[in-house]
Amino acid sequence: MELTTFWFIIIAVLWVGYLVLEGFDFGVGMLMAVMAKGERERRALISTIGPVWDGNEVWLLVAGGATFAAFPEWYATLFSGFYLPLLLILIGLIVRIIGIEFRSKRDEPSWRRNCDIAIVFGSVVPALLWGVALANIVRGVPIDADGEYVGGFFTLLNPYGLLGGLVTLTVFLVHGAFFVGLKTEGEIRERAIKLGLRVGVVAGALAVAFIVWTGLAQDSLAVWILGGLAAVAFVLGMASAVAGRDGWAFTGTAFSIALVVATLFTGLFPDVMPSSLDAAWSLTTTNAASTPYTLKIMSWVAVIFTPIVIGYQSWSYWVFRRRISLNHIPA
């Protein structure tokens, strides 16, 4: 396998890890607005992600750093052309961090209410815009012969991109609801599962439409297979939630998100940013890559340190595996 292909796969895996893990963080943040009743329930929701949310964001940092090092032309075009949506995502993530970290610093209801608004805002905006961005990367954007993005912000707000954003928004909400069902007990767990099932019907319909649209546009058997598996995983997750199998319900939505991301990257390869103006101007794993020596050094670093990072994060999830009830939240 060529090193350019190897690093394309690594970056795809990093995005899978980020969107699966941060996806339920976004979902829990959105649940603050639509499900939580009272201060203790809001604190219980935050407690479900409290030990892990910051570790989940590391996947985004590594994905961005790997893209910069392995495919600098891709990084440059992506972050200049998608500057405004990525800036909005960054603002959302910063605002959410402020809300989570500073919410408990003061007891005034107005202070906590403002922090809750920040958490919801910082969850909704990235959940929507990540889908818009990824869908547009696969669809193709106006890139000229110099490899520069020549569109604008509203170029990205096309029907396919907006559908991708609605898919990530709703699927993350379902994913977060099933995570709350897995991590809590009592009435809050039951309401989270019920809400996840209701939103899941809408999310499933949107996801199927997006997968079919992607399959028709890419005309690839692998895309159809992966997309079909994503739909099956989501349905199985919903069925598990109905049966009261919280772990399998969460696993189903996690696999569906992973398979949808795999579908998008499969449809994208060997391009990294297709040009909608001329296919010859597209950025590919070949013309956007770093030197072979750089990729070789990066590969050794990845082989050594990636298992360590994954092992540590897996251990942290195991340590904080127990369920939370309102009885654990002091008045």
Side-chain angles (χ1 to χ4, degrees), residues 11 18 95 101 109-110 126 164 172 176 195 216 221 223 235 243 246 281-282 287 296 298 300 314 325 330:
I11 290 172
Y18 172 68
V95 168
E101 292 288 349
S110 60
F172 287 167
L195 178 62
L216 293 174
L221 179 60
V223 168
V235 171
D246 299 335
W281 297 343
S282 297
N287 63 24
K296 184 177 180 180
M298 289 176 59
W300 280 110
S314 300
S325 73

PDB file of all heavy atoms in Angstrom, residues 11 18 95 101 109-110 126 164 172 176 195 216 221 223 235 243 246 281-282 287 296 298 300 314 325 330:
ATOM      1  N   ILE A  11      -6.537   9.223   8.194  1.00  0.00           N
ATOM      2  CA  ILE A  11      -7.350  10.429   8.415  1.00  0.00           C
ATOM      3  C   ILE A  11      -8.829  10.075   8.446  1.00  0.00           C
ATOM      4  O   ILE A  11      -9.597  10.605   9.260  1.00  0.00           O
ATOM      5  CB  ILE A  11      -7.045  11.468   7.319  1.00  0.00           C
ATOM      6  CG1 ILE A  11      -5.626  12.018   7.522  1.00  0.00           C
ATOM      7  CG2 ILE A  11      -8.063  12.603   7.337  1.00  0.00           C
ATOM      8  CD1 ILE A  11      -5.131  12.903   6.405  1.00  0.00           C
ATOM      9  N   TYR A  18     -13.609  10.682  15.790  1.00  0.00           N
ATOM     10  CA  TYR A  18     -14.079  11.971  16.293  1.00  0.00           C
ATOM     11  C   TYR A  18     -15.597  12.076  16.235  1.00  0.00           C
ATOM     12  O   TYR A  18     -16.249  12.464  17.223  1.00  0.00           O
ATOM     13  CB  TYR A  18     -13.465  13.111  15.480  1.00  0.00           C
ATOM     14  CG  TYR A  18     -14.060  14.459  15.815  1.00  0.00           C
ATOM     15  CD1 TYR A  18     -13.841  15.049  17.057  1.00  0.00           C
ATOM     16  CD2 TYR A  18     -14.879  15.125  14.908  1.00  0.00           C
ATOM     17  CE1 TYR A  18     -14.399  16.280  17.378  1.00  0.00           C
ATOM     18  CE2 TYR A  18     -15.439  16.350  15.221  1.00  0.00           C
ATOM     19  CZ  TYR A  18     -15.203  16.924  16.453  1.00  0.00           C
ATOM     20  OH  TYR A  18     -15.772  18.126  16.770  1.00  0.00           O
ATOM     21  N   VAL A  95     -17.344  28.055  22.842  1.00  0.00           N
ATOM     22  CA  VAL A  95     -18.476  28.462  23.679  1.00  0.00           C
ATOM     23  C   VAL A  95     -18.965  27.287  24.513  1.00  0.00           C
ATOM     24  O   VAL A  95     -19.303  27.442  25.698  1.00  0.00           O
ATOM     25  CB  VAL A  95     -19.607  29.026  22.795  1.00  0.00           C
ATOM     26  CG1 VAL A  95     -20.900  29.173  23.586  1.00  0.00           C
ATOM     27  CG2 VAL A  95     -19.209  30.385  22.215  1.00  0.00           C
ATOM     28  N   GLU A 101     -17.267  24.162  31.516  1.00  0.00           N
ATOM     29  CA  GLU A 101     -16.247  24.377  32.550  1.00  0.00           C
ATOM     30  C   GLU A 101     -16.671  25.395  33.611  1.00  0.00           C
ATOM     31  O   GLU A 101     -16.305  25.268  34.780  1.00  0.00           O
ATOM     32  CB  GLU A 101     -14.936  24.833  31.899  1.00  0.00           C
ATOM     33  CG  GLU A 101     -14.258  23.766  31.045  1.00  0.00           C
ATOM     34  CD  GLU A 101     -13.653  22.660  31.893  1.00  0.00           C
ATOM     35  OE1 GLU A 101     -13.578  22.811  33.131  1.00  0.00           O
ATOM     36  OE2 GLU A 101     -13.284  21.621  31.319  1.00  0.00           O
ATOM     37  N   PRO A 109     -29.038  31.344  39.207  1.00  0.00           N
ATOM     38  CA  PRO A 109     -29.795  30.700  38.119  1.00  0.00           C
ATOM     39  C   PRO A 109     -29.512  31.324  36.746  1.00  0.00           C
ATOM     40  O   PRO A 109     -29.436  30.611  35.746  1.00  0.00           O
ATOM     41  CB  PRO A 109     -31.257  30.909  38.539  1.00  0.00           C
ATOM     42  CG  PRO A 109     -31.205  31.031  40.025  1.00  0.00           C
ATOM     43  CD  PRO A 109     -29.923  31.749  40.324  1.00  0.00           C
ATOM     44  N   SER A 110     -29.361  32.645  36.701  1.00  0.00           N
ATOM     45  CA  SER A 110     -29.098  33.305  35.417  1.00  0.00           C
ATOM     46  C   SER A 110     -27.749  32.877  34.844  1.00  0.00           C
ATOM     47  O   SER A 110     -27.605  32.701  33.619  1.00  0.00           O
ATOM     48  CB  SER A 110     -29.139  34.821  35.589  1.00  0.00           C
ATOM     49  OG  SER A 110     -28.163  35.251  36.536  1.00  0.00           O
ATOM     50  N   PRO A 126     -21.839  22.974  15.641  1.00  0.00           N
ATOM     51  CA  PRO A 126     -20.908  22.008  15.041  1.00  0.00           C
ATOM     52  C   PRO A 126     -21.613  20.764  14.488  1.00  0.00           C
ATOM     53  O   PRO A 126     -21.219  20.241  13.438  1.00  0.00           O
ATOM     54  CB  PRO A 126     -19.974  21.643  16.203  1.00  0.00           C
ATOM     55  CG  PRO A 126     -20.093  22.758  17.162  1.00  0.00           C
ATOM     56  CD  PRO A 126     -21.513  23.218  17.056  1.00  0.00           C
ATOM     57  N   GLY A 164     -26.910  16.798   4.362  1.00  0.00           N
ATOM     58  CA  GLY A 164     -25.851  16.206   5.186  1.00  0.00           C
ATOM     59  C   GLY A 164     -25.812  16.805   6.577  1.00  0.00           C
ATOM     60  O   GLY A 164     -25.622  16.094   7.573  1.00  0.00           O
ATOM     61  N   PHE A 172     -26.823  12.634  15.579  1.00  0.00           N
ATOM     62  CA  PHE A 172     -26.087  12.908  16.818  1.00  0.00           C
ATOM     63  C   PHE A 172     -27.039  13.046  18.005  1.00  0.00           C
ATOM     64  O   PHE A 172     -26.712  12.635  19.128  1.00  0.00           O
ATOM     65  CB  PHE A 172     -25.260  14.180  16.680  1.00  0.00           C
ATOM     66  CG  PHE A 172     -24.039  14.036  15.802  1.00  0.00           C
ATOM     67  CD1 PHE A 172     -23.344  15.146  15.351  1.00  0.00           C
ATOM     68  CD2 PHE A 172     -23.589  12.779  15.418  1.00  0.00           C
ATOM     69  CE1 PHE A 172     -22.227  15.021  14.546  1.00  0.00           C
ATOM     70  CE2 PHE A 172     -22.471  12.634  14.602  1.00  0.00           C
ATOM     71  CZ  PHE A 172     -21.792  13.760  14.173  1.00  0.00           C
ATOM     72  N   GLY A 176     -26.752  10.725  21.156  1.00  0.00           N
ATOM     73  CA  GLY A 176     -26.634  11.260  22.504  1.00  0.00           C
ATOM     74  C   GLY A 176     -27.721  10.749  23.428  1.00  0.00           C
ATOM     75  O   GLY A 176     -27.469  10.463  24.604  1.00  0.00           O
ATOM     76  N   LEU A 195     -37.255   9.734  23.599  1.00  0.00           N
ATOM     77  CA  LEU A 195     -36.940  10.846  22.712  1.00  0.00           C
ATOM     78  C   LEU A 195     -36.047  10.380  21.565  1.00  0.00           C
ATOM     79  O   LEU A 195     -36.245  10.769  20.406  1.00  0.00           O
ATOM     80  CB  LEU A 195     -36.249  11.961  23.496  1.00  0.00           C
ATOM     81  CG  LEU A 195     -35.822  13.187  22.684  1.00  0.00           C
ATOM     82  CD1 LEU A 195     -37.040  13.867  22.069  1.00  0.00           C
ATOM     83  CD2 LEU A 195     -35.061  14.177  23.562  1.00  0.00           C
ATOM     84  N   LEU A 216     -26.098   7.372  -5.743  1.00  0.00           N
ATOM     85  CA  LEU A 216     -26.399   7.722  -7.129  1.00  0.00           C
ATOM     86  C   LEU A 216     -25.344   8.650  -7.717  1.00  0.00           C
ATOM     87  O   LEU A 216     -24.979   8.541  -8.890  1.00  0.00           O
ATOM     88  CB  LEU A 216     -27.779   8.379  -7.213  1.00  0.00           C
ATOM     89  CG  LEU A 216     -28.979   7.473  -6.886  1.00  0.00           C
ATOM     90  CD1 LEU A 216     -30.262   8.283  -6.854  1.00  0.00           C
ATOM     91  CD2 LEU A 216     -29.079   6.333  -7.902  1.00  0.00           C
ATOM     92  N   LEU A 221     -20.118   0.617  -6.091  1.00  0.00           N
ATOM     93  CA  LEU A 221     -20.701  -0.505  -5.360  1.00  0.00           C
ATOM     94  C   LEU A 221     -20.321  -0.454  -3.891  1.00  0.00           C
ATOM     95  O   LEU A 221     -21.149  -0.737  -3.008  1.00  0.00           O
ATOM     96  CB  LEU A 221     -20.240  -1.828  -5.983  1.00  0.00           C
ATOM     97  CG  LEU A 221     -20.758  -3.109  -5.295  1.00  0.00           C
ATOM     98  CD1 LEU A 221     -22.278  -3.161  -5.324  1.00  0.00           C
ATOM     99  CD2 LEU A 221     -20.145  -4.346  -5.959  1.00  0.00           C
ATOM    100  N   VAL A 223     -19.764   2.142  -2.064  1.00  0.00           N
ATOM    101  CA  VAL A 223     -20.560   3.172  -1.408  1.00  0.00           C
ATOM    102  C   VAL A 223     -21.945   2.634  -1.074  1.00  0.00           C
ATOM    103  O   VAL A 223     -22.471   2.848   0.032  1.00  0.00           O
ATOM    104  CB  VAL A 223     -20.658   4.425  -2.307  1.00  0.00           C
ATOM    105  CG1 VAL A 223     -21.721   5.386  -1.774  1.00  0.00           C
ATOM    106  CG2 VAL A 223     -19.313   5.129  -2.382  1.00  0.00           C
ATOM    107  N   VAL A 235     -31.001   0.817  12.142  1.00  0.00           N
ATOM    108  CA  VAL A 235     -32.260   0.125  12.431  1.00  0.00           C
ATOM    109  C   VAL A 235     -32.082  -0.843  13.596  1.00  0.00           C
ATOM    110  O   VAL A 235     -32.939  -0.927  14.503  1.00  0.00           O
ATOM    111  CB  VAL A 235     -32.775  -0.611  11.180  1.00  0.00           C
ATOM    112  CG1 VAL A 235     -33.951  -1.511  11.535  1.00  0.00           C
ATOM    113  CG2 VAL A 235     -33.184   0.387  10.107  1.00  0.00           C
ATOM    114  N   ALA A 243     -36.132  -2.775  22.684  1.00  0.00           N
ATOM    115  CA  ALA A 243     -36.034  -3.986  23.505  1.00  0.00           C
ATOM    116  C   ALA A 243     -35.378  -3.737  24.850  1.00  0.00           C
ATOM    117  O   ALA A 243     -35.250  -4.663  25.661  1.00  0.00           O
ATOM    118  CB  ALA A 243     -35.263  -5.060  22.746  1.00  0.00           C
ATOM    119  N   ASP A 246     -29.723  -1.198  26.101  1.00  0.00           N
ATOM    120  CA  ASP A 246     -29.109   0.124  25.963  1.00  0.00           C
ATOM    121  C   ASP A 246     -27.732   0.076  25.306  1.00  0.00           C
ATOM    122  O   ASP A 246     -27.391   0.926  24.485  1.00  0.00           O
ATOM    123  CB  ASP A 246     -29.000   0.785  27.336  1.00  0.00           C
ATOM    124  CG  ASP A 246     -30.355   0.977  27.996  1.00  0.00           C
ATOM    125  OD1 ASP A 246     -31.355   1.057  27.271  1.00  0.00           O
ATOM    126  OD2 ASP A 246     -30.406   1.041  29.245  1.00  0.00           O
ATOM    127  N   TRP A 281      -8.675  19.539 -12.103  1.00  0.00           N
ATOM    128  CA  TRP A 281      -8.208  20.473 -11.080  1.00  0.00           C
ATOM    129  C   TRP A 281      -8.453  19.948  -9.661  1.00  0.00           C
ATOM    130  O   TRP A 281      -8.170  20.642  -8.680  1.00  0.00           O
ATOM    131  CB  TRP A 281      -8.913  21.831 -11.246  1.00  0.00           C
ATOM    132  CG  TRP A 281      -8.614  22.505 -12.547  1.00  0.00           C
ATOM    133  CD1 TRP A 281      -7.582  22.215 -13.393  1.00  0.00           C
ATOM    134  CD2 TRP A 281      -9.358  23.557 -13.158  1.00  0.00           C
ATOM    135  NE1 TRP A 281      -7.615  23.035 -14.497  1.00  0.00           N
ATOM    136  CE2 TRP A 281      -8.708  23.876 -14.389  1.00  0.00           C
ATOM    137  CE3 TRP A 281     -10.495  24.278 -12.803  1.00  0.00           C
ATOM    138  CZ2 TRP A 281      -9.163  24.871 -15.251  1.00  0.00           C
ATOM    139  CZ3 TRP A 281     -10.956  25.273 -13.659  1.00  0.00           C
ATOM    140  CH2 TRP A 281     -10.307  25.564 -14.869  1.00  0.00           C
ATOM    141  N   SER A 282      -8.948  18.741  -9.534  1.00  0.00           N
ATOM    142  CA  SER A 282      -9.231  18.170  -8.222  1.00  0.00           C
ATOM    143  C   SER A 282      -7.937  17.901  -7.458  1.00  0.00           C
ATOM    144  O   SER A 282      -6.900  17.576  -8.050  1.00  0.00           O
ATOM    145  CB  SER A 282     -10.014  16.864  -8.364  1.00  0.00           C
ATOM    146  OG  SER A 282     -11.264  17.084  -8.970  1.00  0.00           O
ATOM    147  N   ASN A 287      -1.404  14.495  -5.710  1.00  0.00           N
ATOM    148  CA  ASN A 287      -0.912  15.865  -5.917  1.00  0.00           C
ATOM    149  C   ASN A 287      -1.049  16.759  -4.690  1.00  0.00           C
ATOM    150  O   ASN A 287      -0.568  17.893  -4.685  1.00  0.00           O
ATOM    151  CB  ASN A 287      -1.609  16.516  -7.127  1.00  0.00           C
ATOM    152  CG  ASN A 287      -3.112  16.677  -6.930  1.00  0.00           C
ATOM    153  OD1 ASN A 287      -3.610  16.734  -5.815  1.00  0.00           O
ATOM    154  ND2 ASN A 287      -3.844  16.752  -8.048  1.00  0.00           N
ATOM    155  N   LYS A 296       6.779   8.818   5.633  1.00  0.00           N
ATOM    156  CA  LYS A 296       7.427   7.675   6.270  1.00  0.00           C
ATOM    157  C   LYS A 296       7.659   7.930   7.760  1.00  0.00           C
ATOM    158  O   LYS A 296       7.366   7.068   8.605  1.00  0.00           O
ATOM    159  CB  LYS A 296       8.759   7.381   5.576  1.00  0.00           C
ATOM    160  CG  LYS A 296       9.466   6.138   6.100  1.00  0.00           C
ATOM    161  CD  LYS A 296      10.742   5.866   5.318  1.00  0.00           C
ATOM    162  CE  LYS A 296      11.454   4.617   5.842  1.00  0.00           C
ATOM    163  NZ  LYS A 296      12.705   4.351   5.069  1.00  0.00           N
ATOM    164  N   MET A 298       6.069  10.080   9.651  1.00  0.00           N
ATOM    165  CA  MET A 298       4.748  10.139  10.280  1.00  0.00           C
ATOM    166  C   MET A 298       4.184   8.743  10.526  1.00  0.00           C
ATOM    167  O   MET A 298       3.524   8.502  11.547  1.00  0.00           O
ATOM    168  CB  MET A 298       3.781  10.929   9.397  1.00  0.00           C
ATOM    169  CG  MET A 298       4.049  12.421   9.336  1.00  0.00           C
ATOM    170  SD  MET A 298       2.936  13.239   8.180  1.00  0.00           S
ATOM    171  CE  MET A 298       1.338  12.810   8.878  1.00  0.00           C
ATOM    172  N   TRP A 300       5.789   5.936  11.180  1.00  0.00           N
ATOM    173  CA  TRP A 300       6.414   5.329  12.353  1.00  0.00           C
ATOM    174  C   TRP A 300       5.857   5.920  13.645  1.00  0.00           C
ATOM    175  O   TRP A 300       5.597   5.195  14.617  1.00  0.00           O
ATOM    176  CB  TRP A 300       7.927   5.518  12.295  1.00  0.00           C
ATOM    177  CG  TRP A 300       8.615   4.537  11.396  1.00  0.00           C
ATOM    178  CD1 TRP A 300       9.205   4.798  10.193  1.00  0.00           C
ATOM    179  CD2 TRP A 300       8.752   3.138  11.621  1.00  0.00           C
ATOM    180  NE1 TRP A 300       9.714   3.649   9.646  1.00  0.00           N
ATOM    181  CE2 TRP A 300       9.461   2.600  10.506  1.00  0.00           C
ATOM    182  CE3 TRP A 300       8.368   2.275  12.636  1.00  0.00           C
ATOM    183  CZ2 TRP A 300       9.784   1.256  10.404  1.00  0.00           C
ATOM    184  CZ3 TRP A 300       8.683   0.924  12.528  1.00  0.00           C
ATOM    185  CH2 TRP A 300       9.370   0.425  11.421  1.00  0.00           C
ATOM    186  N   SER A 314      -9.614   4.119  26.042  1.00  0.00           N
ATOM    187  CA  SER A 314     -10.476   2.974  26.350  1.00  0.00           C
ATOM    188  C   SER A 314     -10.489   2.709  27.855  1.00  0.00           C
ATOM    189  O   SER A 314     -11.548   2.420  28.438  1.00  0.00           O
ATOM    190  CB  SER A 314      -9.984   1.729  25.606  1.00  0.00           C
ATOM    191  OG  SER A 314     -10.007   1.935  24.204  1.00  0.00           O
ATOM    192  N   SER A 325     -27.527   8.207  38.471  1.00  0.00           N
ATOM    193  CA  SER A 325     -28.927   8.472  38.776  1.00  0.00           C
ATOM    194  C   SER A 325     -29.034   9.828  39.455  1.00  0.00           C
ATOM    195  O   SER A 325     -28.032  10.400  39.906  1.00  0.00           O
ATOM    196  CB  SER A 325     -29.507   7.381  39.678  1.00  0.00           C
ATOM    197  OG  SER A 325     -29.008   7.503  41.001  1.00  0.00           O
ATOM    198  N   PRO A 330     -26.332  15.815  44.227  1.00  0.00           N
ATOM    199  CA  PRO A 330     -26.828  16.482  45.437  1.00  0.00           C
ATOM    200  C   PRO A 330     -27.762  17.629  45.086  1.00  0.00           C
ATOM    201  O   PRO A 330     -27.652  18.250  44.028  1.00  0.00           O
ATOM    202  CB  PRO A 330     -25.545  16.986  46.103  1.00  0.00           C
ATOM    203  CG  PRO A 330     -24.543  17.104  44.995  1.00  0.00           C
ATOM    204  CD  PRO A 330     -24.878  16.005  44.037  1.00  0.00           C
TER     205      PRO A 330
END
